[in-house]
Amino acid sequence: MPEYTPQLANNFVDMLRETDQRLQKRGTLISNERANVSANSAWSLHDLLSHIRACQDVWACTIYQLLASENPTLPKIHPDDWQAMIRYHSQPFQQSLSAFHHARLDLLNMLQNLDDTEWQRTGIAGGRPITVFGQVRRMALHEKNSHWEQIVALTEIPD
């Protein structure tokens, strides 16, 4: 895993911002009904947004806890369990997209103001050591490498 550098941190923040911008650009053009069609994918766009939103909520929560407490020990919460409990998929797609966007803006605003020491704050989650930088990296790479092509395919809007 790469070590923290301000440039890498900025790159990952930019990736998070880009995911939000791309989802907003595509999502606002998609009706609630169309967002629930899975086509050739196992997931619909609504399923995918619910998953990305749950990952953001769980991983952002760990970031906030790392910043609020000295070396906290946090429980392991799987985003799929969180998504099922909160029932994101029961919300209309456009409402869920708006909620994701506002939560992402809050996260981005906070991350932009971190100093080097805050980026490197540590804790334990699910028995594993984590850092603020590591959690941001995890979220950014997960969205880009695991789900971006799915979003493009489901919206049929090229990059």
Side-chain angles (χ1 to χ4, degrees):
M1 179 179 298
E3 295 295 317
Y4 164 81
T5 67
Q7 183 59 47
L8 274 177
N10 287 334
N11 290 347
F12 292 129
V13 169
D14 288 344
M15 287 168 65
L16 294 175
R17 182 177 297 105
E18 186 176 6
T19 298
D20 178 53
Q21 290 170 347
R22 288 175 168 176
L23 271 169
Q24 294 307 308
K25 175 184 172 183
R26 287 165 172 76
T28 56
L29 301 173
I30 305 294
S31 69
N32 287 322
E33 295 75 25
R34 183 166 168 227
N36 286 297
V37 174
S38 61
N40 295 330
S41 172
W43 285 358
S44 70
L45 185 59
H46 198 175
D47 296 333
L48 192 54
L49 174 62
S50 295
H51 170 74
I52 292 171
R53 189 174 167 204
C55 291
Q56 172 178 267
D57 286 355
V58 170
W59 297 336
C61 184
T62 64
I63 292 166
Y64 296 137
Q65 289 175 306
L66 290 172
L67 293 168
S69 302
E70 191 67 36
N71 201 32
T73 298
L74 308 170
K76 180 178 181 177
I77 301 172
H78 195 283
D80 290 346
D81 297 333
W82 184 256
Q83 177 182 335
M85 182 178 71
I86 302 298
R87 298 184 182 114
Y88 288 142
H89 202 274
S90 67
Q91 298 174 1
F93 175 77
Q94 291 298 327
Q95 179 183 337
S96 190
L97 182 64
S98 178
F100 169 81
H101 174 65
H102 291 291
R104 178 56 55 97
L105 290 179
D106 288 343
L107 177 63
L108 291 171
N109 286 334
M110 185 273 303
L111 292 173
Q112 291 174 184
N113 294 307
L114 296 182
D115 63 31
D116 291 341
T117 302
E118 291 167 321
W119 273 103
Q120 297 176 76
R121 299 242 346 183
T122 63
I124 304 292
R128 291 183 16 242
I130 61 170
T131 65
V132 170
F133 174 73
Q135 291 298 91
V136 171
R137 177 185 180 275
R138 177 185 190 189
M139 189 183 322
L141 292 177
H142 173 254
E143 292 172 2
K144 181 179 181 185
N145 296 339
S146 298
H147 300 302
W148 186 243
E149 292 303 318
Q150 290 174 296
I151 293 167
V152 172
L154 288 166
T155 58
E156 299 174 359
I157 299 170
D159 227 1

